[in-house]
Amino acid sequence: YDNDGEVHGDNNPANTANPDNPLEHYSKAKAEISDLQPLTQIGPDWTLGGAKALSLQFYGEPNNTIESLWVELEDATTGAKFKVAYGKYDDEDPADINDASWHEWIIALSDFTGVDVNNVKSIAIGIGIEGSTADGGSGTLYFDDIRLYVPRCFPLRAKSPADFDYSCDVGYGDLEILTDDWLISGYDFTVADSVSDANLEAHYAFEDNLLDSSANLRHADPNGTISYAVGKVGTLAVDFDGTNFAEVTGYKGVTGTQDRTCTAWIKTAIPGEIVIWGMNTSALKWIWRIQHEAAGFVAGAVRLEVATGSTVGKTDLRDDQWHHVAVVLASAGSPRVADLKLYVDGLLEAPSSLVDNDVNTSSDTDVRIGKGPFNERPFIGQIDELRIYSRALEQAEVASLAGRAGTATQPLLLLLTTTEDTDLFDDETINFKDYARLLDAWLDVVLWP
């Protein structure tokens, strides 16, 4: 496609000079069903066999200009036409046309409003805005495997509320998930009026400097050009651009199996490392960061890893807004990753992913802020009010640092062992009422469309 106004469309064939009929600023490929029928045996009635969805595969290229991608059907009964654009559903990202991989695009035939799908005349695939007089972009898209489907399992668009495992039916997998959440409840708690500086190892307010305001005076050193931006607390926050970081020379962090807490305000749209120390081997490192895009993880969530062990939260924080984050370890002498608690904006989050392992942090490297010495996933954005304690803060204290006051409510949804809402009875606790709702839906099958 090349939507620069030099494409000749249906209404303006090549070599026709007509100022009242300008050249097109969009592109499309159109096929008449009567021309396709001898080759495909697909006739004008697209409902035969119970078909209810149109499916096609597309493949993009990284430098494609993102424009509206659409499919248009025309019926032979009334001549009605209707376009459905990619991005109508939550599982469709218009930026997929920049991705050099195949994407299946599934459209319910009922989405073609006003078109008689029992008598389809033509199908067109287009990109750009039909009728636009402004120059558009250009690029290359490949299409393949255009099919009609009967309803099938598509849980991202349709499923029972009790289908926690996205299998499109309610069964033993869902019962197991509900059992894992058994008797978990939301609760109210009283936020601490203030937080003691007891065991405060370091506190960086980032007010136009890297000074430690704790009694230990563990000032950080710049690496690269350090700049500052408008902060969340006070006036300023440190601003990391991916090339700079800070290092606390001579301070190895909280090591061994000691209790500890790290808290900070962050503002970012890109996953990266907040603070790290230790050694890059099993159980010996301490990396506190924002989760990158990876299968099986919630991208943008808070992550704490100790080499082969890690815990990841539930909330995607890549919204370029200020969030208070914290990780707390109460060791009991022999800590494990499963003992870690993750907080976002003062609220506890059960892990969306957990790989358990020992926690026994080494003293091999100095504390780094903004980028570590291994794996190097630099933080891009702002960090404010970074604190490191050698004690485990209570939730009431974490919530206070997060700016909460009075009585706060810990929602059940953040405490569940899955990102699915197993509170079917909606009373902020998992018990026999939810079990009864699950049994009501037992063996239900939900297909789409």
Side-chain angles (χ1 to χ4, degrees):
Y1 63 99
D2 189 359
N3 300 337
D4 59 1
E6 297 183 6
V7 176
H8 295 276
D10 292 340
N11 298 323
N12 191 23
N15 301 319
T16 299
N18 183 353
D20 297 322
N21 196 10
L23 298 177
E24 310 290 4
H25 291 79
Y26 75 102
S27 301
K28 74 176 180 181
K30 181 179 178 181
E32 300 286 335
I33 303 306
S34 58
D35 293 335
L36 296 178
Q37 190 169 8
L39 301 173
T40 66
Q41 283 78 53
I42 295 178
D45 187 354
W46 282 18
T47 67
L48 292 177
K52 289 190 175 182
L54 171 68
S55 169
L56 60 155
Q57 303 271 353
F58 70 88
Y59 186 106
E61 291 187 348
N63 295 322
N64 284 347
T65 303
I66 299 176
E67 293 203 67
S68 177
L69 175 63
W70 44 266
V71 171
E72 181 181 71
L73 294 188
E74 176 187 13
D75 75 40
T77 305
T78 65
K81 298 179 181 179
F82 194 85
K83 293 183 178 69
V84 175
Y86 188 74
K88 172 181 173 65
Y89 296 98
D90 290 341
D91 55 281
E92 298 173 348
D93 183 353
D96 288 340
I97 69 172
N98 283 126
D99 186 22
S101 62
W102 287 105
H103 293 267
E104 185 181 18
W105 182 8
I106 305 177
I107 307 170
L109 293 180
S110 59
D111 288 342
F112 293 97
T113 304
V115 173
D116 181 4
V117 292
N118 296 282
N119 193 15
V120 179
K121 179 183 179 183
S122 67
I123 177 174
I125 301 170
I127 187 165
I129 301 174
E130 188 172 5
S132 172
T133 59
D135 286 355
S138 61
T140 301
L141 283 167
Y142 302 91
F143 295 89
D144 199 6
D145 233 18
I146 302 173
R147 301 179 176 215
L148 295 172
Y149 275 101
V150 298
R152 52 182 169 145
C153 182
F154 206 147
L156 291 176
R157 297 190 185 173
K159 72 179 188 68
S160 165
D163 179 17
F164 310 131
D165 63 0
Y166 282 66
S167 62
C168 291
D169 60 18
V170 179
Y172 286 105
D174 308 299
L175 177 60
E176 182 178 356
I177 291 172
L178 182 68
T179 302
D180 288 341
D181 289 338
W182 194 248
L183 298 184
I184 295 177
S185 298
Y187 54 86
D188 293 336
F189 65 95
T190 301
V191 178
D193 293 332
S194 60
V195 180
S196 167
D197 284 346
N199 298 89
L200 179 61
E201 298 291 321
H203 173 205
Y204 302 97
F206 299 124
E207 291 297 330
D208 205 23
N209 59 60
L210 300 175
L211 300 180
D212 172 21
S213 59
S214 79
N216 298 306
L217 302 179
R218 293 179 169 124
H219 308 316
D221 299 315
N223 191 296
T225 301
I226 298 292
S227 59
Y228 298 87
V230 175
K232 173 63 179 178
V233 179
T235 303
L236 299 174
V238 66
D239 188 32
F240 293 112
D241 61 10
T243 64
N244 53 358
F245 64 92
E247 185 168 18
V248 189
T249 305
Y251 176 46
K252 308 300 181 181
V254 184
T255 59
T257 60
Q258 288 180 279
D259 287 5
R260 70 199 71 170
T261 301
C262 295
T263 72
W265 285 96
I266 64 167
K267 181 181 179 184
T268 186
I270 301 172
E273 295 167 345
I274 304 169
V275 64
I276 104 169
W277 62 83
M279 179 177 170
N280 192 24
T281 188
S282 181
L284 299 181
K285 72 179 178 181
W286 181 267
I287 297 184
W288 188 37
R289 65 181 177 90
I290 303 302
Q291 176 67 48
H292 64 290
E293 296 269 2
F297 297 97
V298 176
V302 177
R303 174 185 176 112
L304 194 289
E305 65 180 76
V306 292
T308 55
S310 64
T311 181
V312 181
K314 293 184 173 183
T315 304
D316 186 349
L317 302 175
R318 299 172 300 170
D319 58 2
D320 205 26
Q321 300 295 317
W322 283 108
H323 293 281
H324 190 268
V325 291
V327 57
V328 177
L329 176 66
S331 73
S334 54
R336 304 274 295 177
V337 171
D339 298 321
L340 290 163
K341 293 182 178 180
L342 302 173
Y343 294 90
V344 173
D345 296 328
L347 300 177
L348 181 63
E349 294 199 343
S352 62
S353 172
L354 175 67
V355 180
D356 206 10
N357 197 356
D358 294 328
V359 179
N360 188 10
T361 315
S362 77
S363 57
D364 288 83
T365 60
D366 294 333
V367 169
R368 286 195 183 189
I369 305 167
K371 184 171 72 170
F374 28 82
N375 293 335
E376 291 198 2
R377 295 187 178 96
F379 189 91
I380 299 177
Q382 292 82 50
I383 299 177
D384 203 359
E385 288 293 312
L386 173 63
R387 297 168 182 255
I388 302 172
Y389 294 84
S390 57
R391 67 181 177 95
L393 267 61
E394 299 293 335
Q395 181 172 14
E397 296 176 293
V398 174
S400 179
L401 293 175
R404 294 181 179 270
T407 300
T409 298
Q410 171 66 54
L412 169 67
L413 190 60
L414 293 176
L415 302 176
L416 301 177
T417 60
T418 173
T419 55
E420 290 300 296
D421 186 0
T422 54
D423 186 17
L424 297 175
F425 196 76
D426 195 23
D427 61 353
E428 287 295 298
T429 189
I430 307 300
N431 54 28
F432 278 110
K433 294 177 181 178
D434 306 291
Y435 178 72
R437 292 282 174 91
L438 182 80
L439 291 185
D440 286 343
W442 194 252
L443 300 184
D444 281 356
V445 176
V446 178
L447 305 177
W448 187 89

